[in-house]
Amino acid sequence: GAGVSQSPSNKVTEKGKDVELRCDPISGHTALYWYRQRLGQGLEFLIYFQGNSAPDKSGLPSDRFSAERTGESVSTLTIQRTQQEDSAVYLCASSIIIGRRGQSSYEQYFGPGTRLTVT
Amino acid sequence: GENVEQHPSTLSVQEGDSAVIKCTYSDSASNYFPWYKQELGKGPQLIIDIRSNVGEKKDQRIAVTLNKTAKHFSLHITETQPEDSAVYFCAASLPNFGNEKLTFGTGTRLTIIP
């Protein structure tokens, strides 16, 4: 079946502009995560959605970053007034919760990412 | 919060030899440890994972070992092939029903020399 898709694949924007990054998770996956990957580094957690709610926003680096999810499906990550340090690959992952409380499906399926360059 | 360290940052191995990548974690409550392979221009792909109630898991040429006492886990790739060349990331997750956010290591660039 279709995997996680993200758009655009590449985005170049001028400093100070707003950008929106889109994630289409695997159909039926209730959990959705956003991560940021700076060049040559590991992935940093940004935000987690369960359904349309975001119980964990602890990784968002500043109030310029926000995200929403609708229809328990598509999610949009918005960065306002972009700065050069926002340049990175933004990755989305989805997973499905199964099993009893305390046991769940941990496998996160990642999309190909959006490479954001702020000039 | 959790902190994951990964070594080495780069690794070159002759084709057919074995490769070992090691990670340590800081929070003894972490209970899930996946390994991801990332090829150029692609998102990370899960290759193997292990939970804290298991000490070792193997899948064909790939194995992962976990030492909970020492808080470290390792990826072992045997009989390496050119297609194993990629960046490998380890990760750890604390038990939190429904929110298994992952803390990643900084990655190991593995190069298989033909």
Side-chain angles (χ1 to χ4, degrees):
Chain A
V4 177
S5 61
Q6 293 186 245
S7 60
S9 55
N10 282 283
K11 176 72 176 177
V12 180
T13 190
E14 293 180 353
K15 178 181 172 181
K17 295 281 181 69
D18 298 352
V19 294
E20 285 190 353
L21 312 179
R22 178 187 168 109
C23 171
D24 286 85
I26 293 172
S27 178
H29 279 198
T30 53
L32 186 148
Y33 304 80
W34 282 97
Y35 293 88
R36 178 171 70 177
Q37 185 175 29
R38 290 196 164 116
L39 185 64
Q41 299 186 20
L43 285 72
E44 306 169 68
F45 168 80
L46 297 178
I47 187 170
Y48 156 70
F49 285 92
Q50 179 57 246
N52 294 332
S53 300
D56 189 348
K57 306 177 183 180
S58 61
L60 294 178
S62 75
D63 58 8
R64 296 186 296 105
F65 287 72
S66 63
E68 65 174 14
R69 188 180 184 195
T70 57
E72 300 194 353
S73 179
V74 173
S75 176
T76 303
L77 177 68
T78 301
I79 309 173
Q80 295 178 311
R81 306 181 300 283
T82 52
Q83 304 294 313
Q84 289 185 333
E85 61 263 28
D86 298 335
S87 296
V89 176
Y90 290 82
L91 290 153
C92 172
S94 70
S95 69
I96 190 166
I97 307 301
I98 59 173
R100 302 184 300 276
R101 184 176 182 84
Q103 295 182 359
S104 57
S105 174
Y106 293 94
E107 179 167 0
Q108 294 182 25
Y109 295 85
F110 281 83
T114 294
R115 180 176 298 279
L116 175 65
T117 303
V118 181
T119 61
Chain B
E2 176 64 282
N3 181 52
V4 176
E5 295 189 357
Q6 183 171 348
H7 300 281
S9 57
T10 61
L11 179 61
S12 294
V13 173
Q14 205 71 35
E15 182 179 352
D17 288 350
S18 296
V20 180
I21 303 170
K22 299 181 179 181
C23 289
T24 60
Y25 60 100
S26 61
D27 196 324
S28 57
S30 288
N31 68 344
Y32 175 64
F33 308 92
W35 285 89
Y36 284 85
K37 176 182 181 182
Q38 187 174 30
E39 297 176 326
L40 192 64
K42 297 183 179 180
Q45 180 182 11
L46 180 73
I47 55 172
I48 195 167
D49 57 11
I50 192 168
R51 301 188 184 187
S52 58
N53 58 347
V54 175
E56 183 174 359
K57 184 176 179 181
K58 188 173 182 180
D59 183 3
Q60 298 182 344
R61 297 187 296 109
I62 295 173
V64 58
T65 58
L66 171 65
N67 183 326
K68 288 184 62 179
T69 303
K71 292 188 288 186
H72 67 69
F73 56 112
S74 300
L75 177 72
H76 305 252
I77 306 174
T78 58
E79 302 173 14
T80 52
Q81 300 169 3
E83 54 265 36
D84 294 332
S85 294
V87 179
Y88 291 81
F89 291 96
C90 62
S93 176
L94 292 162
N96 184 359
F97 182 75
N99 178 10
E100 280 79 41
K101 66 180 178 183
L102 298 170
T103 300
F104 283 83
T106 50
T108 296
R109 181 173 299 279
L110 175 64
T111 302
I112 306 303
I113 304 167

